[in-house]
Amino acid sequence: MMTKKEISVTNYFFKNTVKKLGYILIWIVFASLFFPWIFSGFSFSSLSIKNILTDTNLGPTLSILISGIALFPYNDFKLLIQNGISRKTFWKARVLSFLAVSILGQLIGIIFALLNPYMQHSWQESSMYMQVYGKYFDSTAMNSFMGLCFILLSTSVVTIGAIMVGSIFSLFTKKAKVYIFIGLFAMIVVLINWISAAVQNDYMLHVIQGTNSFIHFIIGYSGASSPAGAWNPTMPFIVSILTGVICLIGSYAIMKLFKIKNE
């Protein structure tokens, strides 16, 4: 059961997130119309709603935007904590509201794909899950249902992961965040160089092959006897659920450390 305060804060987060998402989508639509118009020499004949709708993948776009919004919790925390909202209520309301927005966004994306007359491919053909696991069950309806479940689950986990990552960065000052981003960039460069050197090393080839076997196990691939479309989706579901649980626990533990910063 949720208290009245938790429901109120959840509604605040939900409405605030939808409002931010709406502003971003308006700018995206504007840019989609404005830039083709500019580059075509201000010719209105170049503006084609058909081209825009054909190239629109609403579900993935909404998932990316919602996760991006979830990366910035500090301002809401500062506002609500100063108005008597506890850290637990803040965390619970934030997670529930973003999960609701994420699931709603994906359902809207799927409905949009089904109703869009200009889509070149069905949502099943556009779904990576359906391409890899869409023939595992004998029933087409069951495969479609599991595909829908995985889309909602995976995008929810991505959103929760964004909440946790945003919470981690919110612990640091703006100056520290700059140093962290520089450090992460340096680590990526080192990792790329390490991988390049590793492929030329016999020992590292064994490590890579072992890693490859583990990845095959995680994604449900069982060799040539398991053709694309009929891979086992059990492990992807388990990994997604475990990742979501870890991110939930991690985000709560991190948000308990939040403090009002003077910067």
Side-chain angles (χ1 to χ4, degrees), residues 73-93:
Y74 178 73
N75 288 336
D76 287 328
F77 170 77
K78 185 176 181 179
L79 173 64
L80 293 175
I81 207 72
Q82 291 175 337
N83 285 276
I85 303 300
S86 68
R87 285 168 170 77
K88 182 178 180 180
T89 298
F90 171 83
W91 172 81
K92 185 176 181 180

Side-chain angles (χ1 to χ4, degrees), residues 81-138:
I81 207 72
Q82 291 175 337
N83 285 276
I85 303 300
S86 68
R87 285 168 170 77
K88 182 178 180 180
T89 298
F90 171 83
W91 172 81
K92 185 176 181 180
R94 186 171 177 80
V95 168
L96 289 176
S97 61
F98 270 99
L99 284 178
V101 175
S102 177
I103 291 173
L104 180 61
Q106 292 310 302
L107 292 176
I108 291 174
I110 291 173
I111 293 173
F112 175 83
L114 293 174
L115 299 180
N116 185 354
Y118 302 115
M119 287 291 288
Q120 296 179 343
H121 306 285
S122 64
W123 77 269
Q124 292 95 334
E125 293 174 326
S126 302
S127 168
M128 182 178 295
Y129 175 90
M130 294 300 293
Q131 291 297 312
V132 178
Y133 308 101
K135 299 177 182 177
Y136 181 75
F137 297 100
D138 294 332

Side-chain angles (χ1 to χ4, degrees), residues 132-174:
V132 178
Y133 308 101
K135 299 177 182 177
Y136 181 75
F137 297 100
D138 294 332
S139 170
T140 301
M142 176 60 73
N143 284 320
S144 297
F145 174 74
M146 294 304 292
L148 174 62
C149 290
F150 188 79
I151 289 173
L152 299 180
L153 174 63
S154 58
T155 51
S156 297
V157 171
V158 170
T159 302
I160 297 172
I163 291 176
M164 187 179 75
V165 172
S167 301
I168 293 173
F169 281 103
S170 294
L171 297 175
F172 301 97
T173 63
K174 292 180 181 179

